Amino acid sequence: MRFRHPDGSTVHLAYCTNVHPAETLGGVLAQLRDHCEPVRRRLGRDRLGIGLWLARDAAQALITDPGSLRTLRAEVDRRGLEVVTLNGFPYEGFGAAEVKYRVYQPDWTRPERLAHTTDLARLLSALLPDDVTEGSVSTLPLAWRTPFDSRAADTALAALTTLAERLDALEELTGNSIRIGLEPEPGCTVETTADAIAPLTAVSSPRIGVCVDTCHLATSFEDPHTALDALGAAGIPVVKAQLSAALHAEHPHLPEVRAALAAFAEPRFLHQTRTRTAAGLRGTDDLPEAVSGRALPDGAPWRAHFHVPLHAPPEPPLTSTLPVLRTTLAQLVGGPRPRTHHLEVETYTWQALPAGRRPRNRARLADGIAAELTLARDLLTDLGLKELP
């Protein structure tokens, strides 16, 4: 979906396909048919943006076989889809029964991460629509926080510097500008947007910036105005933004609130949980640790890293952090010029929801994703952007 900003530039809205497990090229082609095109049809649009997740095996197949890449591009076009952004955070296994800490491997200290991200940039350049020359790829924020020391940091930053040089060469070759965004996430060495400023200043390339995930931003209790202003002051670009909402528990000391939160504790993904105290942010790596004991102070609200559907907040006594998304979006694209042109709805946890809230089939999932995109579209038009055909 495309929108015209009042300044005349185009803002792209997509949804991220990491909600559909697919490790191979065949799986990616199937999800275009079974999921992405049905969502487009529900929205009544001739064109729908998708933020493709290409796992290692799928990316390797496309890199090594130009014919396969042409086939993917043709299928994207034939089904009324377009790709301007990729999700390069998960490397493989995102559809596994248990993901947890494995999603952070390989990190930016490992050569496989540099090689994979380079491949993704090359693939995205080939997948961009004919009238688009700018693409974005989100990636993990260097590494999980442990073990990570100064030597590891030097290795990771050297890899990003090499990547920036490769992106420069790619633009010279193709005319397309591909940028990479570190995605701050609770528990990682870059947990907040503030944490991203020092390493990205060290890399010092306009090719490498930040992907702002509004669920992560909210989970860490970051103020959107402060976060985005600090990035702007430091000259760090917002390469893309992922529109998502976290779980919010206003009164975590109440038994009924703990019980409601416990329903979202599940074995597949990490759901880092945070609260603010006078001494600063406190947190646990996962939701079960928070709800089962006294690991966290409960005199102030808790937020958990669980991407809840944008249009369907959890039932009381829980809420979502949709207000943080609204405020962030206004800061990103509601001003005289957009701070980013790539927006991506990223609710990958549909099948991790409490049993009664999970979509029972593909049709229900498509309904839900279309509803999320409709909400995002309405937020954008309320900010003065005009939806394009």
Side-chain angles (χ1 to χ4, degrees), residues 219-243:
T219 301
S220 294
F221 288 88
E222 287 197 82
D223 174 69
H225 300 82
T226 302
L228 295 174
D229 287 351
L231 291 175
I236 306 297
V238 179
V239 170
K240 67 187 278 190
Q242 290 176 325
L243 308 183

Side-chain angles (χ1 to χ4, degrees), residues 186-200:
C188 292
T189 186
V190 175
E191 174 157 339
T192 66
T193 57
D195 295 334
I197 291 175
L200 292 180

